[in-house]
Every structure is written in structure tokens, then in C-alpha cells.
Amino acid sequence: MLKSDNIGLFHKNILAMQLTFLKAKLHRACVTHSELEYEGSCAIDGKLLEAAGIHEYEQIQIYNVANGERFTTYAIRAEDGSNIISVNGAAAHKASPGDRLIICAFATLDAKEVENFKPTLVYLDEKNDITHMRHAIPVQAA
């Protein structure tokens, strides 16, 4: 049984926690290039970066829907309006043109920030055009 002093300390510790949340997602981006000899990273159309709120050189996680590969790299800006998604350097072994990716960026928030936080979710078609955007993932039904 917790004493009331311990409960207060417990709640204080929770408020001081740093929690990692999904900040932004480009859902089902289609790989346009896979460049083994290019300097590492993932080049993403600048307009897509802006829509998602992902910054150039920001760390991203990439999940390849086609083959199950998951890897970490950073975003670089490709030409605005080009629809480029280019997986470069060593990561080029993990994705091929035509593969569909989920590209995520995360943010560290304190417990007070979590209450009002909403991610930016950008959904793409096979040409990397934005089909729609949301700030929540629908509840999964049984």
C-alpha cells in the first residue's frame, strides 16, 4: 500500500517524465530511387517534408511495407514538387523503387505537453501525391 506522501512523489515523477510520441508520418510513400553510392539518408520531396512537419536532417524511422525492413536514417530535402522518395547509401539495400514505406519522425514531450499533442499524418498514393491528412489514427475495430 502506498502512503499519501509516496503518491504525491509518484505523480510528481510522472509529470517530470520525458515521453516519446509519433510526431509525423508519411504513410505508404513509394520509393522512386535507391542510390547505393549517394551520401546516406533519405531524400524526400520538400513539399512532403513541409506537409508532415519533418525538418531536413531530422532523424526518421523507415518501415518498408514490401519486405519488413525497419531502419533509422535522416531526412534530406529533394526538389519541391518532384515526388521523390530516394533511399540512399547503405539503406539502399533495404528498399527498392516501387516499395511502399512508412516514414516516421518522433518527438520527446514532457507529460504536460502530451495532453494537447496531435501528430501530423500524411497519406500518399502510388505517385507520392497527398491523398489526405489526419491528426489521429482511427480506432482499430475487432
Side-chain angles (χ1 to χ4, degrees), residues 11 29 32 39 41 48 59 65 68 78 96 101 124 128 138:
H11 287 291
T32 59
E39 188 171 343
S41 66
L48 297 177
Q59 179 177 299
V65 176
S96 300
L101 308 177
L124 305 175
N128 293 327

Side-chain angles (χ1 to χ4, degrees), residues 22 79 81 83-84 92 121 132 142:
L22 177 65
E79 183 179 350
N83 289 16
I84 287 175
L121 312 172
H132 61 286

Side-chain angles (χ1 to χ4, degrees), residues 7-8 56 71 125 134:
I7 292 172
E56 189 168 23
F71 54 98
D125 66 15
R134 293 186 182 139

Side-chain angles (χ1 to χ4, degrees), residues 32-105:
T32 59
H33 300 79
S34 184
E35 304 285 345
L36 185 61
E37 299 303 322
Y38 192 84
E39 188 171 343
S41 66
C42 181
I44 301 170
D45 177 323
K47 293 294 184 184
L48 297 177
L49 289 176
E50 289 173 8
I54 298 172
H55 298 274
E56 189 168 23
Y57 307 114
E58 183 172 357
Q59 179 177 299
I60 53 176
Q61 297 283 327
I62 298 179
Y63 314 123
N64 189 329
V65 176
N67 64 21
E69 291 281 359
R70 299 167 74 91
F71 54 98
T72 303
T73 187
Y74 58 93
I76 60 172
R77 189 179 195 98
E79 183 179 350
D80 289 2
S82 66
N83 289 16
I84 287 175
I85 301 290
S86 183
V87 180
N88 301 322
H93 291 288
K94 298 181 177 287
S96 300
D99 286 356
R100 301 301 289 267
L101 308 177
I102 300 169
I103 301 171
C104 297

Side-chain angles (χ1 to χ4, degrees), residues 2 4-19 109-112 114:
L2 288 174
S4 64
D5 291 356
N6 290 339
I7 292 172
L9 182 60
F10 178 76
H11 287 291
K12 190 174 187 177
N13 286 339
I14 287 176
L15 291 177
M17 282 184 167
Q18 294 290 299
L19 306 166
L109 308 171
D110 64 39
K112 291 177 185 174
V114 170

